[in-house]
Amino acid sequence: MYSKPLLTTGLDSIEQAAAMVYTAELFAEVEDQLAKVAALKHVGKSGMGSNVVHCVAKFRRPGRLYHVLHDVTSERIECECHRWKQSDIPCNHKGVDTSTL
């Protein structure tokens, strides 16, 4: 309960922040999603105004694209898979680093 979680994904700062927010049980699910980020590839983006839509594909499944909306003004990020709305756990599609794209 009071122990620090073992960081395993290589995304230490994100894992540490998640560990402070989620219970140990939910953190395990968040960590699973973070591990899947490494298998994602940013394949394109389009935008209008403050909204940018990023297209993300899974490794070895380039035909299945996920669209992630990023409102730059409000910093809101939404994915078309709606996993967050279903389980309160962010999906791995939102984890792709688009800050340098």
Side-chain angles (χ1 to χ4, degrees):
M1 180 172 156
Y2 296 105
S3 64
K4 291 183 180 181
L6 179 64
L7 306 180
T8 61
T9 67
L11 303 170
D12 294 354
S13 61
I14 296 172
E15 276 185 282
Q16 289 171 350
M20 294 173 66
V21 175
Y22 293 99
T23 64
E25 183 178 336
L26 288 176
F27 176 75
E29 293 182 45
V30 172
E31 194 172 43
D32 180 54
Q33 289 298 313
L34 287 174
K36 293 177 182 176
V37 170
L40 296 176
K41 178 180 179 184
H42 186 270
V43 294
K45 71 177 180 179
S46 61
M48 187 170 174
S50 66
N51 291 318
V52 179
V53 176
H54 297 276
C55 294
V56 177
K58 290 185 176 183
F59 181 69
R60 296 189 189 226
R61 292 190 68 196
R64 176 58 178 113
L65 296 178
Y66 294 90
H67 298 91
V68 180
L69 172 69
H70 179 200
D71 183 332
V72 179
T73 304
S74 69
E75 291 299 318
R76 184 187 63 167
I77 300 174
E78 291 185 18
C79 181
E80 69 181 350
C81 77
H82 300 289
R83 178 181 169 91
W84 195 318
K85 292 178 182 175
Q86 296 168 1
S87 68
D88 291 333
I89 305 293
C91 68
N92 57 63
H93 315 122
K94 291 182 178 183
V96 172
D97 182 11
T98 58
S99 62
T100 59
L101 304 173

